């Protein structure tokens, strides 16, 4: 497709909270990684697309961007993890509580940072608008990492890559998070300092139940075996960075 | 999280799930329906067995019945009292057609019975059975339940059964009186499954069939408080953020119940069972872990996290990775996180265990081999026993998530230190997140902790109360600070090396062989000089607390003035020539560096062996 453009930008924040919606009592937990629905929300804010407006209706940004392929790579992490802490706070204003103070204990991800890859189709006006905003460093609404007090910013310029789908014939490394379809083969000798990180993350919405649709992700420095093909792999090259393989999903 | 916990429960065998079921304290009574001439009824012969949990020297028969009662009451209990059949009073805690469980306090003569101004529990037994009978599908069983209900449906009938049990008088108000109907356990299970189908979800309002399976709102750590608008998504297109299947709900219910029995370690490592990583030739980590849990649960020994991890760690050739770690406290989840690769050993660049050297004459040095030893050797002293507490039984208590009462901490600063940093150390030790504790954090903890000890020091029985603590903390600080520096370009100059250099330097300074060339040398020499001066004090209080005012200065000029002022008090004393040279060099030094930044050197100068004494007798006294 001639109008395809694969770009990346680095997204950072002081704090993040990507809430796991499965419980609301006791400590509220956060995903460690930025996930696709959260990234689409951030992109929607940058492009000035509408968010949630009406019961039973998906927000405009999600409808416009859900089919866009993205890739996510954590930055400045420790073996895939970001530092976390918990914060307790109370809200005692009357309009927030009819039956006593609201006490909340939730996780904070400290200094989350991710490289976000987008495969844009510039013939799509929504993608074009998003690209223009990113290229010019503008955002219509303030992007944030999960909570609007955890504001996010784009660190540096966007990078444009030459890209092509790939199925490597030999062992290879993936620099981004990827959805794994089967068990990852443990290397015969695990290199010192290497790691393999797993997390079940949302990839979109189950629109019937209106809740996150989850997939099992991995992020590793281990070399992967070509006998276990992983879908959605792209080989990227650019003037600034070394050749690399990422997964877009 | 819920998928991991649900998967964990599915990996447990039924025998494991029944280990450690606790019997409800109180009186357990078994009634059997009689049959005669095709008629079913209950009479005095229906009381076939009873047992009281607090009875001493129970017979084998009674013990067997109590064990069976524990299993039956588990199958008869309400999910929570909001889902019992006796709403809104909530006095009958069973939810089964074959069981009635009431606390003694609600029965004749009980505290609640006496103070009750509304209906007594006996008047509600029929209403209870009206709901419970709906859990029984067959007509025949329903007839049995009706007879059981009729036998208990008034105060007189209820008490007449209890009058047949001599031990009833000993039942306390907080204990239960539980009647069971003698039917096979399968009947209890069927009724329980029927009850749970309806009650496992938080509410049935949002139940939805999806792919042929009922999905509803989770009751696990979940509530839908309508009086807390901030907990409700105000603009979302959906009402419920997450639904779970009936099977997942059941698993989570079982999980909650099992962790409540206290048979699992805490923190609890949960290995991913599905296929994230294949089995190793040494076996499956998850299966091995569960076998260990089970082995210890069966012998009623609650095995610690450390013992489990160490056993697995060695069995699997030190390749211990990919598990989730759950920390719970009284059924409430305090922390849940993933561990990719557990790092057990603590090693320096030369692959040696960490070494706490005796740099400050505390007469002790220590090697720290692994992360668990770090807790006792380092965390216990630096947090003044508030985070890791050694009990009288010589065991350790860990308070990573429990409430800590500031009243039982050494000082308010200690309390704040623990609250601020305990989570970071938990991540460091239990999840191997090495970046969670930085050198800056470690230095800050030791700085504050040592300054606090200096401030709190006093003379007791002729000795400095905090002297040993301070020296121990200085040893830890100077020996380990760089271990928390994860940078790849670490300076080879360590606090311990610098201390040695300073100790050599002060000897040369005393002999006038060198001059002060750096602020660190100045601060170290100032510490030595202050010690010399305070040593001359004739006052009763010669504690290290006297150092505190000097540590509060910001500028070197003010510190020098304070030293000169102190010297004026002891000008009549005979000092060594080394001291004279040193104090001259110290007071002549000027710098814009904040004295607070030089605190480690100043304190180390004060607590190091003092090189400025004139006689060996003085040295020995030092």
């Amino acid at each position: 497709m001639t109008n395809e453009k694969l770009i990346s930008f680095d997204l950072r924040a002081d704090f993040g909270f990507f809430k796991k919606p499965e419980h609301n009592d006791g400590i509220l937990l956060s995903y460690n990684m930025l996930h696709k629905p959260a990234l689409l929300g951030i992109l929607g804010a940058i492009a000035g697309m509408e968010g949630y407006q009406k019961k039973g209706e998906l927000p405009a940004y999600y409808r416009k961007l859900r089919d866009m392929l993205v890739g996510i790579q954590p930055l400045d992490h420790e073996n895939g993890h970001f530092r976390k802490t918990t914060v307790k706070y109370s809200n005692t204003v009357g309009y927030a509580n009819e039956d006593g103070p609201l006490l909340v204990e939730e996780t904070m991800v400290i200094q989350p940072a991710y490289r976000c890859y987008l495969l844009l189709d510039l013939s799509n006006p929504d993608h074009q608008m998003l690209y223009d905003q990113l290229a010019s460093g503008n955002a219509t609404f303030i992007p944030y990492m999960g909570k609007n007090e955890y504001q996010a910013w784009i660190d540096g310029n966007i990078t444009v890559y030459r890209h092509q789908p790939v199925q490597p014939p030999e062992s290879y490394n993936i620099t981004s998070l990827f959805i794994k379809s089967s068990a990852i083969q443990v290397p015969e000798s695990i290199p010192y300092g290497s790691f393999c990180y797993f997390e079940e993350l949302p990839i979109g919405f189950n629109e019937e139940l209106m809740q996150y649709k989850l997939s099992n992700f991995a992020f590793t420095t281990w070399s992967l075996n070509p006998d276990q093909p992983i879908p959605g792999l792209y080989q990227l090259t650019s003037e600034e960075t070394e050749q690399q393989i990422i997964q877009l999903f | 999280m819920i998928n991991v916990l649900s998967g964990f429960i599915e990996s447990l065998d039924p025998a494991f799930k029944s280990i450690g079921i606790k019997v409800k304290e109180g009186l357990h009574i078994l009634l059997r329906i009689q049959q005669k001439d095709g008629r079913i009824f209950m009479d005095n012969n229906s009381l076939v067995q009873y047992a009281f949990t607090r009875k001493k020297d129970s017979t084998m028969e009674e013990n067997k019945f109590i064990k069976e009662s524990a299993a039956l009451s588990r199958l008869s209990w309400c999910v929570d009292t909001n889902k019992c059949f006796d709403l809104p009073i909530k006095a009958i805690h069973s939810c089964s057609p074959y069981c009635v469980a009431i606390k003694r306090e609600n029965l004749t003569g009980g505290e609640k019975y006496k103070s009750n101004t509304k209906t007594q529990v006996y008047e509600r037994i029929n209403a209870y059975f009206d709901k419970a009978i709906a859990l029984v599908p067959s007509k025949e069983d329903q007839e049995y339940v009706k007879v059981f209900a009729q036998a208990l449906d008034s105060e007189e009938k209820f008490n007449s059964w209890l009058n047949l049990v001599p031990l009833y008088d000993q039942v306390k108000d907080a204990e239960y009186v539980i009647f069971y109907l003698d039917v096979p356990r399968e009947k209890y299970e069927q009724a329980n499954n029927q009850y749970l189908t309806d009650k496992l979800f938080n509410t049935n309002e949002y139940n939805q069939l999806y792919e042929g399976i009922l999905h509803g709102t989770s009751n696990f750590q979940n509530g839908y408080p309508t009086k807390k608008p901030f907990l409700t998504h105000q603009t979302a297109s959906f009402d419920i953020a997450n639904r779970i299947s009936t099977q997942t709900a059941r698993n989570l219910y079982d999980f909650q119940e099992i962790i409540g029995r206290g048979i699992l370690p805490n923190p609890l490592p949960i290995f991913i069972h599905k296929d994230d990583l294949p089995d190793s030739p040494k076996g499956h980590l998850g299966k091995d872990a569960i076998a260990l849990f089970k082995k210890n649960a069966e012998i009623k020994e609650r095995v610690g996290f450390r013992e489990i991890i160490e056993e697995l760690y060695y069995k699997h050739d030190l390749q211990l990775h990919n598990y989730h770690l759950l920390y719970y406290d009284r059924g409430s989840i305090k922390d849940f996180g993933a561990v990719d690769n557990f790092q057990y050993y603590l090693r320096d660049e030369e692959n040696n265990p960490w070494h706490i050297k005796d740099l400050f004459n505390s007469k002790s040095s220590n090697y720290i081999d692994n992360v668990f030893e770090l807790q006792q050797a380092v965390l216990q002293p630096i947090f003044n026993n508030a985070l890791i507490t050694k009990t009288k039984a010589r065991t350790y208590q860990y308070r990573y998530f429990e409430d800590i009462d500031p009243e039982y901490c050494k000082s308010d600063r200690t309390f704040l230190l623990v609250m601020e940093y305990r989570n970071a150390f938990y991540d460091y030790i239990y999840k191997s997140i090495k970046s969670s504790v930085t050198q800056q954090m470690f230095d800050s903890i030791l700085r504050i902790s040592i300054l606090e000890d200096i401030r709190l020091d006093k003379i007791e029985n002729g000795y400095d109360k905090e002297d040993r603590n301070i020296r121990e903390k200085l040893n830890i600080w100077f020996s380990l600070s760089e271990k928390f520096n994860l940078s790849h370009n670490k300076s080879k100059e360590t606090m311990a090396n610098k201390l040695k250099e300073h100790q050599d330097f002060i000897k040369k300074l005393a002999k006038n062989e060198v001059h002060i060339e750096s602020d660190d040398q100045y601060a170290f020499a100032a510490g030595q000089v202050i010690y010399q001066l305070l040593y001359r004090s004739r006052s009763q209080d010669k504690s290290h607390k006297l150092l505190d005012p000097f540590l509060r200065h910001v500028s070197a000029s003010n510190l020098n003035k304070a030293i000169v002022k102190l010297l004026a008090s002891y000008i009549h004393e005979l000092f060594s020539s080394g001291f004279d040279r040193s104090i001259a060099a110290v007071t002549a030094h000027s710098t814009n560096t904040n004295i607070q930044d030089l605190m480690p050197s100043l304190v180390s100068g004060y607590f190091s062996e003092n090189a400025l004494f004139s006689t060996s007798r003085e040295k020995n006294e030092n």
Side-chain angles (χ1 to χ4, degrees), chain B residues 148-332:
Chain B
F148 183 46
Q150 281 164 8
L152 293 164
D153 65 359
S154 71
E155 190 167 355
E156 292 72 31
K157 289 182 193 170
F158 209 95
N159 287 339
S160 70
W161 291 115
L162 293 175
N163 287 336
L164 298 174
V165 182
L167 295 166
Y168 175 60
D169 291 344
Q170 294 177 35
V171 180
K172 292 180 181 173
D173 263 16
E175 293 172 338
Y176 281 97
V177 170
I178 308 179
F179 285 95
Y180 303 92
L181 183 62
D182 187 20
V183 293
R185 198 194 286 195
E186 293 74 43
K187 302 270 184 199
Y188 279 82
E189 281 170 0
Q190 284 166 7
N192 186 234
N193 285 337
Q194 187 64 33
Y195 166 76
L196 291 178
T197 305
D198 193 40
K199 302 292 182 202
L200 281 173
F201 294 126
N202 187 285
T203 163
N204 290 344
E205 274 180 50
Y206 301 102
N207 285 4
Q208 189 176 336
L209 266 178
Y210 175 68
E211 293 180 343
I213 298 167
L214 188 66
H215 283 65
T217 53
S218 170
N219 195 41
F220 179 74
Q221 307 279 310
N222 223 356
Y224 291 89
T226 52
K227 292 183 177 176
K228 294 269 189 286
F230 275 34
L231 289 183
T232 315
H233 206 311
Q234 299 296 313
T235 57
S237 58
F238 44 82
D239 291 314
I240 296 300
N242 198 54
R243 287 181 178 85
I244 56 172
S245 69
T246 319
Q247 185 57 47
T248 306
R250 174 76 208 220
N251 291 342
L252 293 172
Y253 172 71
D254 287 347
F255 176 80
Q256 190 103 4
E257 209 250 329
I258 289 170
I259 62 166
R261 289 185 215 155
I263 56 170
L264 294 170
N266 194 23
L268 172 68
I270 301 175
F271 291 84
I272 297 166
H273 285 262
K274 290 182 181 165
D275 63 353
D276 276 330
L277 290 169
D279 290 7
S280 79
K282 299 274 179 186
H284 194 290
L285 269 169
K287 287 173 190 162
D288 289 347
I290 286 169
L292 273 175
F293 300 159
K294 189 175 176 184
K295 190 175 97 184
N296 292 287
E298 279 172 342
I299 56 170
K300 293 184 180 170
E301 195 175 284
R302 191 177 185 180
V303 69
F305 174 80
R306 177 179 178 170
E307 289 74 26
I308 286 193
I309 285 294
E310 282 180 340
E311 193 161 341
L312 293 173
Y313 195 64
Y314 292 121
K315 178 172 179 188
H316 289 269
D317 280 348
L318 318 184
Q319 297 297 328
L320 194 55
H321 43 219
N322 199 23
Y323 61 92
H324 287 84
L325 196 62
L326 172 79
Y327 196 99
Y328 57 94
D329 180 29
R330 283 162 283 174
S332 167

Side-chain angles (χ1 to χ4, degrees), chain B residues 424-478:
Chain B
F425 277 103
Y426 178 79
D427 287 348
Y428 187 94
I429 292 167
Y430 289 89
K431 298 187 196 163
S432 298
I433 303 176
K434 298 298 180 192
S435 63
S436 65
V437 180
T438 63
Q439 186 178 13
Q440 195 183 14
M441 284 162 63
F442 188 73
D443 289 348
S444 173
I445 293 165
L446 267 303
R447 169 193 286 268
I448 292 168
S449 194
I450 290 168
L451 289 177
E452 198 66 355
D453 282 355
I454 291 172
R455 187 180 68 80
L456 295 172
D457 189 40
K458 57 184 174 186
I459 302 293
E460 269 185 11
N461 303 323
Y463 293 99
D464 282 290
K465 188 173 168 241
E466 301 295 341
D467 185 72
R468 188 175 172 75
N469 289 336
I470 296 168
R471 290 180 191 281
E472 191 178 3
K473 285 174 191 171
L474 283 167
N475 282 341
I476 290 170
W477 191 7
F478 279 66

Side-chain angles (χ1 to χ4, degrees), chain B residues 63-75:
Chain B
N63 285 335
K64 196 177 160 197
F65 176 56
I66 284 176
K67 208 173 165 190
E68 175 67 10
S69 299
L72 294 181
S73 59
R74 178 172 169 260
L75 292 169

